[in-house]
Coordinates of all heavy atoms in Angstrom, one line a residue:
P13 N 107.8 -80.3 42.4 CA 107.9 -80.9 43.7 C 107.2 -82.3 43.8 O 107.8 -83.2 44.4 CB 107.1 -79.9 44.6 CG 107.3 -78.6 43.9 CD 107.3 -78.9 42.4
A14 N 106.1 -82.5 43.1 CA 105.4 -83.8 43.1 C 106.3 -84.8 42.4 O 106.3 -86.0 42.8 CB 104.0 -83.7 42.5
T15 N 106.9 -84.4 41.3 CA 107.8 -85.4 40.6 C 109.0 -85.7 41.4 O 109.4 -86.9 41.5 CB 108.2 -84.8 39.3 OG1 107.0 -84.3 38.6 CG2 108.9 -85.8 38.4
R16 N 109.6 -84.7 42.1 CA 110.8 -85.0 42.9 C 110.4 -86.0 44.0 O 111.2 -86.9 44.3 CB 111.3 -83.7 43.5 CG 112.4 -83.9 44.6 CD 112.7 -82.6 45.3 NE 113.7 -82.8 46.4 CZ 113.3 -83.2 47.6 NH1 112.1 -83.5 47.9 NH2 114.3 -83.4 48.5
R17 N 109.2 -85.9 44.5 CA 108.8 -86.8 45.6 C 108.8 -88.3 45.1 O 109.0 -89.2 46.0 CB 107.4 -86.5 46.1 CG 107.3 -85.2 46.9 CD 108.1 -85.2 48.1 NE 108.0 -86.5 48.9 CZ 109.0 -86.9 49.8 NH1 110.0 -86.2 50.0 NH2 108.8 -88.0 50.4
L18 N 108.7 -88.5 43.8 CA 108.7 -89.9 43.3 C 110.0 -90.5 43.5 O 110.1 -91.8 43.6 CB 108.3 -89.9 41.8 CG 106.8 -89.4 41.5 CD1 106.6 -89.3 40.0 CD2 105.8 -90.4 42.1
F19 N 111.1 -89.7 43.5 CA 112.4 -90.3 43.8 C 112.4 -91.1 45.1 O 113.1 -92.1 45.2 CB 113.4 -89.1 43.9 CG 114.2 -88.9 42.6 CD1 114.6 -87.6 42.3 CD2 114.6 -89.9 41.8 CE1 115.4 -87.4 41.2 CE2 115.4 -89.7 40.7 CZ 115.8 -88.4 40.4
F20 N 111.7 -90.5 46.1 CA 111.8 -91.0 47.4 C 110.6 -91.7 47.9 O 110.4 -92.0 49.1 CB 112.2 -89.9 48.4 CG 113.2 -89.0 47.9 CD1 113.0 -87.6 47.6 CD2 114.5 -89.5 47.6 CE1 114.0 -86.8 47.1 CE2 115.5 -88.7 47.1 CZ 115.3 -87.4 46.8
T21 N 109.7 -92.0 47.0 CA 108.5 -92.8 47.3 C 108.7 -94.3 47.1 O 108.9 -94.6 45.9 CB 107.3 -92.3 46.5 OG1 107.1 -90.9 46.8 CG2 106.0 -93.0 46.9
P22 N 108.6 -95.1 48.1 CA 108.9 -96.5 47.8 C 107.9 -97.1 46.8 O 106.7 -96.9 46.9 CB 108.6 -97.2 49.2 CG 108.9 -96.1 50.2 CD 108.4 -94.8 49.5
Q23 N 108.4 -97.8 45.8 CA 107.6 -98.5 44.8 C 107.5 -100.0 45.1 O 106.5 -100.6 44.7 CB 108.2 -98.3 43.4 CG 108.5 -96.8 43.1 CD 107.2 -96.0 42.9 OE1 106.3 -96.5 42.2 NE2 107.2 -94.8 43.5
I24 N 108.5 -100.5 45.7 CA 108.6 -102.0 45.9 C 109.6 -102.3 47.0 O 110.6 -101.7 47.1 CB 109.0 -102.7 44.6 CG1 108.8 -104.3 44.7 CG2 110.4 -102.4 44.2 CD1 107.4 -104.7 44.4
R25 N 109.3 -103.2 47.9 CA 110.2 -103.7 48.9 C 111.1 -104.7 48.2 O 110.7 -105.5 47.4 CB 109.5 -104.2 50.1 CG 108.8 -103.2 50.9 CD 107.9 -103.8 51.9 NE 108.7 -104.5 53.0 CZ 108.1 -105.3 53.9 NH1 106.8 -105.6 53.8 NH2 108.9 -105.9 54.8
V26 N 112.4 -104.7 48.7 CA 113.4 -105.7 48.1 C 113.4 -106.9 48.9 O 113.0 -107.0 50.1 CB 114.7 -105.0 48.0 CG1 114.7 -103.7 47.2 CG2 115.4 -104.8 49.4
S27 N 114.0 -108.0 48.3 CA 114.2 -109.2 49.0 C 115.4 -109.2 50.0 O 116.4 -108.6 49.6 CB 114.4 -110.3 48.0 OG 114.8 -111.5 48.7
E28 N 115.2 -109.8 51.1 CA 116.4 -109.9 52.0 C 117.5 -110.6 51.4 O 118.7 -110.5 51.8 CB 116.0 -110.5 53.4 CG 115.2 -109.5 54.3 CD 115.2 -110.0 55.7 OE1 115.4 -111.2 56.0 OE2 114.9 -109.1 56.6
S29 N 117.2 -111.5 50.5 CA 118.3 -112.4 49.9 C 119.2 -111.7 49.0 O 120.3 -112.1 48.7 CB 117.6 -113.5 49.2 OG 116.9 -113.1 48.1
G30 N 118.8 -110.5 48.4 CA 119.7 -109.8 47.6 C 119.1 -109.2 46.3 O 117.8 -109.1 46.2
T31 N 119.9 -108.9 45.3 CA 119.4 -108.1 44.2 C 118.7 -109.0 43.1 O 117.9 -108.4 42.4 CB 120.6 -107.4 43.5 OG1 121.6 -108.4 43.1 CG2 121.3 -106.5 44.5
N32 N 119.1 -110.2 43.0 CA 118.6 -111.0 41.9 C 117.5 -112.0 42.3 O 117.7 -112.9 43.0 CB 119.8 -111.9 41.3 CG 119.4 -112.6 40.0 OD1 118.2 -112.7 39.6 ND2 120.4 -113.1 39.3
N33 N 116.3 -111.7 41.7 CA 115.1 -112.5 42.1 C 114.3 -112.9 40.8 O 113.1 -112.9 40.8 CB 114.2 -111.7 43.0 CG 114.9 -111.4 44.3 OD1 115.0 -112.2 45.2 ND2 115.3 -110.2 44.5
T34 N 115.1 -113.1 39.7 CA 114.4 -113.4 38.5 C 113.8 -114.8 38.5 O 112.7 -115.0 37.9 CB 115.4 -113.4 37.3 OG1 116.5 -114.2 37.6 CG2 115.9 -112.0 37.0
M35 N 114.4 -115.8 39.1 CA 113.9 -117.2 39.0 C 112.9 -117.5 40.1 O 112.2 -118.5 39.9 CB 115.2 -118.1 39.1 CG 116.3 -117.8 38.1 SD 115.7 -117.7 36.4 CE 115.1 -119.3 36.1
R36 N 112.8 -116.8 41.1 CA 111.8 -117.1 42.2 C 111.5 -115.9 43.0 O 112.3 -115.0 43.1 CB 112.3 -118.2 43.1 CG 113.6 -117.9 43.8 CD 114.1 -119.1 44.6 NE 115.4 -118.8 45.2 CZ 116.6 -118.9 44.7 NH1 116.6 -119.3 43.4 NH2 117.7 -118.6 45.3
A37 N 110.3 -115.9 43.5 CA 109.8 -114.8 44.4 C 110.6 -114.8 45.7 O 111.0 -115.8 46.2 CB 108.3 -115.0 44.6
P38 N 110.8 -113.6 46.3 CA 111.5 -113.5 47.5 C 110.8 -114.3 48.6 O 109.6 -114.3 48.7 CB 111.5 -112.0 47.8 CG 111.2 -111.4 46.5 CD 110.4 -112.3 45.7
E39 N 111.6 -115.0 49.5 CA 111.0 -115.7 50.6 C 110.7 -114.7 51.7 O 109.7 -114.9 52.5 CB 112.0 -116.7 51.1 CG 112.2 -117.9 50.1 CD 113.1 -118.9 50.7 OE1 113.6 -118.8 51.8 OE2 113.4 -119.9 50.0
K40 N 111.5 -113.6 51.8 CA 111.3 -112.6 52.9 C 111.7 -111.3 52.4 O 112.7 -111.1 51.8 CB 112.1 -113.0 54.1 CG 111.8 -112.2 55.3 CD 112.6 -112.7 56.6 CE 112.3 -111.8 57.8 NZ 113.0 -112.3 59.0
L41 N 110.8 -110.3 52.6 CA 111.1 -108.9 52.2 C 111.8 -108.1 53.3 O 111.5 -108.4 54.5 CB 109.8 -108.2 51.8 CG 109.0 -108.8 50.6 CD1 107.7 -108.1 50.4 CD2 109.9 -108.8 49.3
S42 N 112.6 -107.2 52.9 CA 113.4 -106.4 53.9 C 112.5 -105.5 54.6 O 111.6 -104.8 54.0 CB 114.5 -105.7 53.2 OG 115.1 -104.7 54.1
P43 N 112.6 -105.4 55.9 CA 111.8 -104.4 56.7 C 112.3 -103.0 56.5 O 111.6 -102.0 56.9 CB 111.9 -104.9 58.1 CG 113.2 -105.6 58.2 CD 113.4 -106.2 56.8
T44 N 113.5 -102.8 56.1 CA 114.1 -101.5 56.0 C 114.5 -100.9 54.6 O 114.7 -99.8 54.5 CB 115.5 -101.5 56.8 OG1 116.3 -102.5 56.3 CG2 115.2 -101.7 58.3
L45 N 114.5 -101.8 53.6 CA 114.9 -101.4 52.3 C 113.8 -101.6 51.2 O 113.1 -102.6 51.2 CB 116.1 -102.3 51.9 CG 117.4 -102.2 52.8 CD1 118.4 -103.2 52.3 CD2 117.9 -100.8 52.8
S46 N 113.8 -100.6 50.4 CA 112.8 -100.6 49.3 C 113.5 -99.9 48.1 O 114.6 -99.4 48.2 CB 111.5 -99.9 49.7 OG 111.7 -98.6 50.1
W47 N 112.7 -99.8 47.0 CA 113.3 -99.1 45.8 C 112.3 -98.0 45.4 O 111.1 -98.2 45.3 CB 113.5 -100.0 44.7 CG 114.8 -99.6 43.9 CD1 114.9 -98.8 42.8 CD2 116.1 -99.9 44.3 NE1 116.2 -98.7 42.5 CE2 117.0 -99.3 43.4 CE3 116.7 -100.7 45.4 CZ2 118.4 -99.5 43.5 CZ3 118.1 -100.8 45.5 CH2 118.9 -100.2 44.5
G48 N 112.8 -96.8 45.2 CA 112.0 -95.7 44.6 C 112.1 -95.7 43.1 O 112.2 -96.8 42.5
L49 N 112.2 -94.5 42.5 CA 112.4 -94.4 41.1 C 113.8 -94.0 40.8 O 114.2 -92.8 40.9 CB 111.4 -93.4 40.4 CG 110.0 -93.8 40.5 CD1 109.1 -92.7 39.8 CD2 109.7 -95.2 39.9
G50 N 114.7 -95.0 40.6 CA 116.1 -94.8 40.3 C 117.0 -94.9 41.5 O 118.2 -95.1 41.4
W51 N 116.4 -94.9 42.7 CA 117.2 -95.0 44.0 C 116.8 -96.1 44.8 O 115.6 -96.4 44.9 CB 117.1 -93.7 44.8 CG 117.6 -92.4 44.2 CD1 116.9 -91.4 43.5 CD2 119.0 -92.0 44.1 NE1 117.7 -90.4 43.1 CE2 119.0 -90.8 43.4 CE3 120.2 -92.6 44.5 CZ2 120.2 -90.1 43.2 CZ3 121.4 -91.9 44.2 CH2 121.4 -90.7 43.6
G52 N 117.8 -96.7 45.6 CA 117.4 -97.5 46.7 C 117.1 -96.6 47.9 O 117.6 -95.5 48.0
L53 N 116.2 -97.1 48.7 CA 115.7 -96.3 49.9 C 115.9 -97.2 51.1 O 115.6 -98.3 51.2 CB 114.2 -95.9 49.8 CG 113.8 -95.2 48.5 CD1 112.3 -95.0 48.5 CD2 114.5 -93.8 48.5

C-alpha cells in the first residue's frame, strides 16, 4: 500500500510552458499539474 501511494504522490510540479525544460528553469509552474512516479497527476 505505501509503495502504491508513491504512484500518486506529487514529486515535482510541471512548467506551464510544457514538457521540455532542459535549457532553462520554468517561468511559471502549473497550479493543477504535477508528476508522480511514472504518471502525470
Side-chain angles (χ1 to χ4, degrees):
T15 308
R16 174 188 173 274
R17 288 301 314 159
L18 293 173
F19 261 147
F20 314 119
T21 301
Q23 306 293 314
I24 191 84
R25 290 170 69 194
V26 306
S27 170
E28 284 198 342
S29 64
T31 62
N32 187 347
N33 298 281
T34 53
M35 304 312 294
R36 58 186 177 275
E39 293 182 2
K40 188 175 181 181
L41 297 176
S42 170
T44 56
L45 301 176
S46 58
W47 218 265
L49 294 185
W51 295 103
L53 304 174

